[in-house]
């Protein structure tokens, strides 16, 4: 039988205002990645989406990316890029979702989801091909 019940879907309007130019945004510039949502907390996605511009690190064992965390010891303590696209958090959160990494170009730190404070000296060192300046 066909389900004709009323359903609603929410969408996230993409906000890449953190980009300071188009360098690093053309097809082929952004390597693919798989996002591990178990590394994020509910406070990281109050509207059900992880926003683009979120700094991520690579989990050594799985090769997936997760929330950048200086206190982690699984590889996420080193930044590998910024999520290029906002991504809807799946149910269950153990389901990985594909995305792209922004790894070179120009970024306005004040416009990142974590603000300027998220761009530490360690992040700048780990991402030398990204120029952070407002």
């Amino acid at each position: 039988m066909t389900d004709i019940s009323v359903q609603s879907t929410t969408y996230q309007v993409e906000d890449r205002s953190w980009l300071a130019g188009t360098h690093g945004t053309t097809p082929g510039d952004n390597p693919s990645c798989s996002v591990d949502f178990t590394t994020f907390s509910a406070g990281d996605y109050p509207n059900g989406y992880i926003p683009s511009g979120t700094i991520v690190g690579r989990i050594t064992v799985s090769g997936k990316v997760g929330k950048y965390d200086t206190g982690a010891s699984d590889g996420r303590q080193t930044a590998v890029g910024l999520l290029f696209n906002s991504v809807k958090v799946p149910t269950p959160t153990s389901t990985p979702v594909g995305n792209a990494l922004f790894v070179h170009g120009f970024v306005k730190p004040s416009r990142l989801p974590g603000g300027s404070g998220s761009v530490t000296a360690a992040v700048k060192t780990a991402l030398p091909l990204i120029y952070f300046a407002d």
Side-chain angles (χ1 to χ4, degrees):
M1 182 179 292
T2 303
D3 179 7
I4 60 169
S5 62
V6 176
Q7 299 178 3
S8 67
T9 303
T10 58
Y11 295 94
Q12 170 78 18
V13 175
E14 191 60 70
D15 178 9
R16 289 197 188 110
S17 62
W18 51 270
L19 287 171
T22 59
H23 181 79
T25 63
T26 57
D29 285 348
N30 307 105
S32 63
C33 66
S34 184
V35 183
D36 183 339
F37 294 95
T38 62
T39 63
F40 293 90
S41 64
D44 296 322
Y45 49 89
N47 67 347
Y49 288 82
I50 304 291
S52 65
T54 299
I55 301 169
V56 293
R58 188 168 311 282
I59 301 166
T60 308
V61 174
S62 67
K64 297 179 180 104
V65 298
K67 181 180 180 181
Y68 169 70
D69 181 357
T70 57
S73 60
D74 60 359
R76 294 180 297 121
Q77 67 275 16
T78 304
V80 294
L82 286 66
L83 290 180
F84 188 63
N85 303 302
S86 297
V87 59
K88 184 169 178 52
V89 177
T91 304
T93 56
S94 59
T95 305
V97 174
N99 205 323
L101 286 177
F102 183 78
V103 294
H104 68 90
F106 305 98
V107 171
K108 299 176 188 174
S110 64
R111 303 294 307 203
L112 290 173
S116 296
S118 64
V119 182
T120 63
V123 169
K124 289 179 179 179
T125 299
L127 302 174
L129 299 179
I130 297 179
Y131 180 74
F132 294 97
D134 278 312

